[in-house]
Amino acid sequence: DCNVQNYIRIVENDLFKQDWRSRKKNQIFQYVVLKWALVLLIGLLTGLVGFFNNLAVENIAGFKLVLTGDLMLQKRYFTAFLAYGGCNLVLGATAAALCAYIAPAAAGSGIPEVKAYLNGVDAYSILAPSTLFVKIFGSILGVSGGFVLGKEGPMVHTGACIANLLGQGGSRKYHLTWNWLKYFKNDRDRRDLITCGAAAGVAAAFRAPVGGVLFALEEAASWWRSALLWRTFFTTAVVAVVLRALIEFCRKGKCGLFGQGGLIMFDLSSNVPSYGTQDLIAIIILGVIGGVFGGLFNFLLDRILRVYSIINERGAPSKILLTITISIITSACSYGLPWLAACSPCPVGSMEECPTIGRSGNFKSFQCPPGHYNGLASLFFNTNDDAIRNLFSRGTENEFHMSSLFVFFIAIYCLGLVTYGIAVPSGLFIPVILAGATYGRIVGTLLGPMSDIDPGLFALLGAASFLGGTMRMTVSVCVILLELTNELHMLPLVMLVLLISKTIADCFNKGVYDQIVVMKGLPFMEAHAEPYMRHLVASDVVSGPLISFSGVEKVGNIVHALRITGHNGFPVVDEPPVSEAPELVGLVLRSHVLVLLSGRNFMKEKVKTSGSFVLRRFGAFDFAKPGSGKGMKIEDLDFTEEEMEMYVDLHPITNTSPYTVVETMSLAKAAVLFRALGLRHLLVVPKTPGRFPIVGILTRHDLMPEHIHGLFPNLRKSH
């Protein structure tokens, strides 16, 4: 039973009811104030981390590019390559070592994991403090190391980790705990905070506050309430304010090489383009290309990740070796391929200096004589953000040759595929935007004579189409791109492109994050039931022999049951003489039973008590959910022979109103109910009287396709 959260539903036992009655007005007020204070803190911290990431990347990558550029001006080309490749190799290997040895969970984008967590899969270490540390520094090193990956995906994970750390009152392992945060030990509040964190991550990565809220709603969260909408909105607003303030501070030149760059802001709008019918044809072509390339990208990525997982399972050294290999290939591409491009004379009367001096700009001289620039080097020999800015730039129709764009597209498409699975925190947004912007620009240059739209805008539409084709998000991508570029008048075109590319890509396979969730084996519950579930009933898939407790149970029986099973919930049944006939009392959770046993308040006779000793001995917070992975274990408790023969009353901690379904209910309906209510256990009760009052328990595992197909191999997936 993979550790799953008891979502939305709060356990209603006597203890909880008593606790809720005893809460004073000021405690409830304190709780509400705390909630908003935490949300504010999440926004502040995520904004600061997002800014720190950008600052670090711009300075490290800037230093590397300036060093290489100086060596090239002295015509020491081989030394320049060694310096460039060496820097990339050291940065990449350090990131991989951090990942492999400290927090393996930090590798990759982190969006699939956050998505699974918000669906109810509580896999340990996804949001641990060590993961947060590696995510921040690994992401900085990976992006500065010239890999084709973004810092946007990891920012979402970083935001979620910050939220988790604040919400569980710090980390016991590192002795950072705050007692007054014990209010947030239930799953619902923690999930709300993590949703806010994920939204704040997107807002910090793209400076797109509304995009962040929509991302959380569309891609991350599985359950949404209206209260959450304005809480996330508040968080992202805080992030936007923090970032704006810090960037104003940097405009004064106090941040080293931090130019305009980092937080991708492309102000494209100089003049409003008009578009006619012939442009719509171009848009449809872009949408179709985006859908096909996106579907292909997902298919290839799935294959490559399967191969990588075999390599990565061999242990840390092979992870680091794989990363070093990819690093060398990437350096060779970014340094070697621009030699294939011809030098172009500088355009007359251009706004920027040409060739560019320093690190960011549209015209890199590379190996060219004075007064000339190398178009391909302007794309390859830059940070990813600057390359995107160059592709999106307006009024630069003839700046990049078609051949350069083709070479760049193929290189980025392939490098993006092989880079994602390595042991470095890596986002998919940037490679996808880069590849999409490149083919958008190719289409724009080809259709230039027909269309009035600038190739820079075609690049924007290309990026949108490829994002739609790989990630299958529509609303949030649309808003993020518009917030990035301030191109509001492009809204109808971006919407159209996204709809076409998503529709076409959906014919081939699922979205990239959904694929990764399936590949990692996380038990993710879809919102709809599979068609074959209509042919089964609830009692068909209940697994294993049922273990239930009496209302007043012998300590030995409980300890034995907890030792031999990994179940997290046990039905409690009253039998004569406690009740007239066997009757179902409710459900008791493993963690609560352990806390109750640790109190050692046992009785010699089998009698029902008033339960008052439990209320005196424990507060509701003793039964609250502990921080990730820190709960009590049955191995920690030892009992004497005498104690094992005594009895304990389970009534006070039993949840007396569990959700139940009748055994003949269609499995499809039961699955929808399970997912919609965010349950962890669903009790299956008999249809006819006179039998034992419970048939079994449905858990998330019982509703997984693998489990059902294992029991019924003849079921066809389509029916």
Side-chain angles (χ1 to χ4, degrees):
D1 180 10
C2 161
N3 208 353
V4 186
Q5 294 150 320
N6 194 21
Y7 262 171
I8 300 185
R9 309 288 144 220
I10 291 177
V11 179
E12 293 182 21
N13 50 37
D14 297 351
L15 188 72
F16 174 77
K17 291 174 192 157
Q18 176 65 31
D19 171 62
W20 205 233
R21 279 183 227 121
S22 66
R23 277 206 187 173
K24 316 257 183 317
K25 263 208 171 132
N26 62 346
Q27 279 182 306
I28 292 171
F29 177 68
Q30 196 181 353
Y31 173 71
V32 173
V33 170
L34 253 180
K35 237 178 186 173
W36 284 100
L38 276 184
V39 168
L40 177 74
L41 264 176
I42 291 169
L44 282 172
L45 287 174
T46 312
L48 285 169
V49 169
F51 179 74
F52 169 69
N53 279 8
N54 282 304
L55 191 62
V57 166
E58 295 284 312
N59 278 303
I60 299 172
F63 168 76
K64 180 184 75 182
L65 294 170
V66 169
L67 174 74
T68 318
D70 289 347
L71 287 168
M72 294 194 77
L73 287 174
Q74 299 163 23
K75 301 270 188 288
R76 290 161 62 189
Y77 294 127
F78 190 66
T79 325
F81 174 62
L82 286 182
Y84 181 69
C87 284
N88 284 354
L89 196 116
V90 170
L91 291 165
T94 316
L98 276 178
C99 240
Y101 287 110
I102 302 178
S109 132
I111 293 177
E113 284 91 338
V114 172
K115 195 174 166 170
Y117 182 90
L118 291 175
N119 185 272
V121 182
D122 194 353
Y124 177 57
S125 85
I126 286 182
L127 300 171
S130 56
T131 311
L132 172 64
F133 171 77
V134 174
K135 205 82 195 182
I136 295 173
F137 290 99
S139 173
I140 291 173
L141 294 166
V143 178
S144 340
F147 288 111
V148 183
L149 45 85
K151 51 188 180 304
E152 278 59 27
M155 270 310 297
V156 174
H157 195 168
T158 304
C161 285
I162 291 173
N164 185 50
L165 193 65
L166 289 173
Q168 67 182 33
S171 156
R172 218 173 283 174
K173 191 170 159 192
Y174 303 106
H175 304 297
L176 304 161
T177 46
W178 302 295
N179 274 339
W180 44 269
L181 284 179
K182 60 189 177 185
Y183 283 115
F184 294 94
K185 291 288 197 216
N186 69 38
D187 276 315
R188 188 169 76 182
D189 287 333
R190 197 174 301 175
R191 192 183 64 247
D192 287 357
L193 287 176
I194 286 164
T195 309
C196 286
V202 176
F206 292 112
R207 264 169 66 183
V210 184
V213 175
L214 289 171
F215 175 85
L217 168 65
E218 184 176 6
E219 188 64 14
S222 292
W223 290 280
W224 194 262
R225 316 196 308 284
S226 54
L228 206 51
L229 185 68
W230 61 296
R231 209 164 289 142
T232 44
F233 192 64
F234 175 67
T235 321
T236 54
V238 173
V239 174
V241 172
V242 170
L243 287 180
R244 183 49 51 108
L246 289 168
I247 287 167
E248 285 307 317
F249 171 74
C250 274
R251 290 256 161 86
K252 298 171 185 150
K254 293 181 185 165
C255 298
L257 291 167
F258 187 82
Q260 298 291 308
L263 291 153
I264 325 174
M265 197 64 180
F266 324 105
D267 288 321
L268 303 188
S269 28
S270 43
N271 54 347
V272 180
S274 55
Y275 36 89
T277 325
Q278 71 274 25
D279 297 330
L280 286 179
I281 298 163
I283 303 296
I284 291 169
I285 293 170
L286 268 181
V288 173
I289 296 174
V292 172
F293 275 144
L296 181 66
F297 187 87
N298 288 6
F299 171 75
L300 293 173
L301 190 67
D302 197 46
R303 292 283 173 278
I304 289 172
L305 286 177
R306 284 178 196 283
V307 175
Y308 276 8
S309 66
I310 298 167
I311 300 173
N312 287 340
E313 272 164 16
R314 289 189 185 159
S318 56
K319 285 185 184 180
I320 298 173
L321 237 140
L322 178 65
T323 309
I324 289 174
T325 315
I326 301 293
S327 172
I328 293 169
I329 294 171
T330 309
S331 300
C333 282
S334 353
Y335 189 88
L337 290 174
W339 293 90
L340 302 174
C343 290
S344 323
C346 284
V348 187
S350 91
M351 303 294 286
E352 290 186 49
E353 51 191 347
C354 174
T356 308
I357 304 155
R359 49 168 284 277
S360 63
N362 269 0
F363 305 108
K364 291 267 182 186
S365 61
F366 210 64
Q367 84 291 19
C368 294
H372 288 69
Y373 73 97
N374 180 334
L376 198 48
S378 307
L379 296 174
F380 266 125
F381 214 66
N382 244 332
T383 56
N384 294 337
D385 289 355
D386 284 328
I388 294 178
R389 196 176 288 105
N390 293 348
L391 285 169
F392 279 6
S393 59
R394 296 272 287 272
T396 47
E397 284 82 1
N398 310 317
E399 185 193 318
F400 302 109
H401 293 295
M402 286 300 285
S403 56
S404 305
L405 289 171
F406 268 115
V407 170
F408 187 65
F409 172 66
I410 291 164
I412 289 295
Y413 195 87
C414 300
L415 285 173
L417 281 169
V418 294
T419 310
Y420 182 74
I422 60 176
V424 171
S426 50
L428 271 175
F429 268 103
I430 295 291
V432 167
I433 291 179
L434 262 176
T438 314
Y439 73 69
R441 208 165 172 108
I442 293 174
V443 171
T445 317
L446 286 175
L447 299 174
M450 285 167 51
S451 167
D452 307 334
I453 302 181
D454 188 280
L457 292 178
F458 267 113
L460 171 66
L461 293 168
S465 75
F466 200 21
L467 281 169
T470 48
M471 306 196 175
R472 318 289 157 88
M473 294 183 278
T474 44
V475 189
S476 42
V477 164
C478 180
V479 174
I480 287 171
L481 282 173
L482 294 178
E483 285 187 280
L484 271 185
T485 52
N486 286 346
E487 285 290 348
L488 246 186
H489 46 261
M490 296 296 286
L491 179 64
L493 297 186
V494 174
M495 285 166 74
L496 192 63
V497 147
L498 278 167
L499 288 171
I500 295 171
S501 66
K502 176 179 158 59
T503 309
I504 285 182
D506 273 339
C507 304
F508 301 119
N509 46 28
K510 287 161 81 170
V512 66
Y513 296 132
D514 296 329
Q515 274 190 347
I516 295 168
V517 165
V518 170
M519 209 193 74
K520 290 198 168 194
L522 298 168
F524 188 86
M525 292 273 306
E526 296 292 348
H528 53 270
E530 300 292 336
Y532 58 78
M533 290 183 175
R534 292 193 205 111
H535 302 297
L536 301 171
V537 294
S539 58
D540 288 342
V541 297
V542 172
S543 56
L546 178 72
I547 294 181
S548 66
F549 293 148
S550 313
V552 182
E553 182 62 273
K554 199 186 242 180
V555 176
N557 294 354
I558 297 181
V559 173
H560 179 65
L562 292 177
R563 284 206 175 122
I564 60 166
T565 67
H567 298 331
N568 271 312
F570 298 91
V572 176
V573 178
D574 268 348
E575 292 177 81
V578 181
S579 61
E580 288 169 20
E583 63 175 54
L584 177 65
V585 183
L587 181 85
V588 68
L589 291 180
R590 183 190 196 92
S591 54
H592 293 182
V593 174
L594 286 170
V595 175
L596 186 68
L597 288 178
S598 68
R600 296 177 190 271
N601 221 316
F602 305 141
M603 305 170 295
K604 292 266 195 314
E605 275 79 45
K606 189 169 182 172
V607 286
K608 186 173 177 179
T609 62
S610 66
S612 57
F613 77 89
V614 179
L615 300 177
R616 282 199 304 274
R617 170 74 216 279
F618 299 109
F621 289 132
D622 293 326
F623 290 96
K625 183 177 168 156
S628 44
K630 309 259 178 12
M632 244 190 234
K633 297 192 172 53
I634 184 68
E635 292 79 34
D636 306 341
L637 299 174
D638 279 321
F639 298 103
T640 60
E641 287 292 319
E642 190 187 355
E643 284 178 325
M644 293 292 247
E645 291 302 314
M646 294 170 84
Y647 293 93
V648 62
D649 187 0
L650 295 175
H651 288 98
I653 58 163
T654 303
N655 176 6
T656 47
S657 48
Y659 284 88
T660 57
V661 292
V662 120
E663 59 184 336
T664 49
M665 185 180 201
S666 133
L667 187 63
K669 264 187 158 174
V672 170
L673 183 75
F674 193 91
R675 165 72 166 71
L677 296 173
L679 303 180
R680 180 174 179 174
H681 301 107
L682 185 59
L683 305 190
V684 182
V685 294
K687 193 167 188 176
T688 49
R691 288 163 52 194
F692 193 67
I694 176 154
V695 177
I697 295 189
L698 276 180
T699 60
R700 179 180 289 258
H701 167 72
D702 299 322
L703 298 169
M704 286 293 123
E706 300 77 36
H707 172 74
I708 297 172
H709 285 296
L711 291 175
F712 303 98
N714 309 337
L715 269 184
R716 293 220 301 283
K717 290 213 172 191
S718 53
H719 297 302

